[in-house]
């Protein structure tokens, strides 16, 4: 069954990212027989923006590492890394019927975040958000060569999520507040690449803000 109203459609996205607070999981059942309460087969939207945390920016500055945008991403004047949403899908089941009760992915193809120090440049690209696992994966490129095709880069904590906001003036839905943190594998890889030890697992990268263009009623 699919949601039929624009507000309900974006609400599914809100549930998907909000479920990251608990991993979107439950111990009962699986999805083999259960029917989703809502389903979006072709996710559309505008952007996922991450307001870079001051602690993260200061840590990079102290290490003489400069962040930048990759591909169609951009760094705004207010210090947010902005990544266009390019596709994906989401299924939402009644909590307690399957595990995880939010399944799917949110794609950000052709964009990413770069980190550069001296002659070394690391690009984290093609982000994929998995709400059921509360993780964001992506490709790791070092000095123009793919180092890891797909790696868990960031973990997602939805306990800081704010209520969904629907803006009728420009027909968008906004979900803000999920905390993005550096994963253990990403911390280890970056430390090794830049020959440092300062980046720790769980380091707060920033706060996510997802803006989705709502379909016309």
């Amino acid at each position: 069954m699919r949601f039929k109203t624009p507000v309900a459609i974006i609400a599914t996205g809100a549930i998907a990212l909000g479920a990251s607070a608990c991993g979107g999981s439950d111990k009962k059942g699986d999805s083999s027989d259960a029917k989703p309460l809502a389903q979006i087969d072709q996710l559309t939207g505008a952007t996922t923006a991450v307001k870079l945390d001051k602690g993260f920016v200061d840590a990079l500055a102290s290490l003489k590492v400069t962040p930048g945008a990759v591909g169609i991403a951009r760094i705004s004047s207010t210090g947010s890394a902005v990544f266009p949403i390019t596709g994906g899908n989401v299924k939402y089941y009644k909590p307690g019927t399957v595990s995880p009760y939010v399944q799917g992915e949110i794609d950000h193809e052709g964009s990413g975040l770069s980190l550069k120090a001296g002659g070394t440049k690391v690009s984290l690209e093609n982000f994929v958000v998995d709400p059921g696992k509360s993780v964001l994966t992506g490709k790791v490129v070092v000095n123009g060569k793919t180092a890891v095709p797909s790696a868990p880069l960031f973990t997602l904590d939805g306990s800081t999520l704010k209520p969904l906001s629907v803006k009728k003036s420009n027909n968008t839905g906004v979900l803000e507040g999920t905390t993005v943190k550096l994963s253990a594998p990403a911390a280890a890889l970056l430390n090794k690449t830049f020959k440092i030890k300062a980046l720790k697992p769980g380091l707060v990268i920033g706060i996510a803000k997802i803006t989705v263009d709502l379909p016309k009623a």
Side-chain angles (χ1 to χ4, degrees):
M1 180 178 70
R2 294 175 174 81
F3 282 130
K4 296 182 179 181
T5 66
V7 174
I9 289 173
I10 184 60
T12 301
I15 293 167
L17 270 290
S20 298
C22 60
S25 63
D26 194 281
K27 296 181 179 179
K28 298 179 181 179
D30 58 50
S31 59
S32 59
D33 298 319
K35 293 183 179 180
L37 295 179
Q39 179 174 334
I40 303 176
D41 295 323
Q42 294 183 330
L43 187 64
T44 60
T47 60
T48 294
V50 179
K51 175 68 174 178
L52 299 178
D53 185 79
K54 185 178 184 300
F56 174 61
V57 174
D58 289 346
L60 294 181
S62 68
L63 298 168
K64 298 183 180 180
V65 176
T66 303
V70 173
I72 57 176
R74 62 184 176 87
I75 304 293
S76 73
S77 59
T78 57
S80 290
V82 183
F83 313 101
I85 295 172
T86 58
N89 61 85
V90 175
K91 290 182 180 179
Y92 173 67
Y93 297 87
K94 180 180 179 181
T97 59
V98 302
S99 176
Y101 62 84
V102 180
Q103 300 176 13
E105 64 179 53
I106 302 173
D107 302 328
H108 306 79
E109 189 76 19
S111 65
L113 180 70
S114 67
L115 300 172
K116 185 176 181 180
T120 301
K121 181 179 180 180
V122 177
S123 296
L124 310 176
E125 306 176 0
N126 300 341
F127 297 153
V128 177
V129 174
D130 186 329
K133 296 181 180 178
S134 302
V135 66
L136 184 155
T137 61
K139 180 171 70 171
V140 181
V141 178
V142 179
N143 293 332
K145 297 182 179 180
T146 299
V148 185
S150 181
L153 303 176
F154 308 112
T155 59
L156 307 171
D157 179 2
S159 64
T160 54
L161 188 67
K162 296 179 181 179
L164 172 69
S165 173
V166 175
K167 299 183 181 298
K168 295 183 179 180
S169 59
N170 59 359
N171 201 42
T172 61
V174 177
L175 179 68
E176 185 173 9
T178 295
T179 301
V180 181
K181 300 179 181 180
L182 188 65
S183 72
L189 186 148
L190 292 173
N191 283 331
K192 181 179 180 180
T193 302
F194 289 115
K195 297 180 173 58
I196 58 177
K197 297 180 180 180
L199 298 178
K200 305 296 183 183
L203 174 68
V204 174
I205 304 300
I207 301 297
K209 177 180 179 180
I210 298 177
T211 302
V212 177
D213 295 328
L214 300 178
K216 294 180 180 180

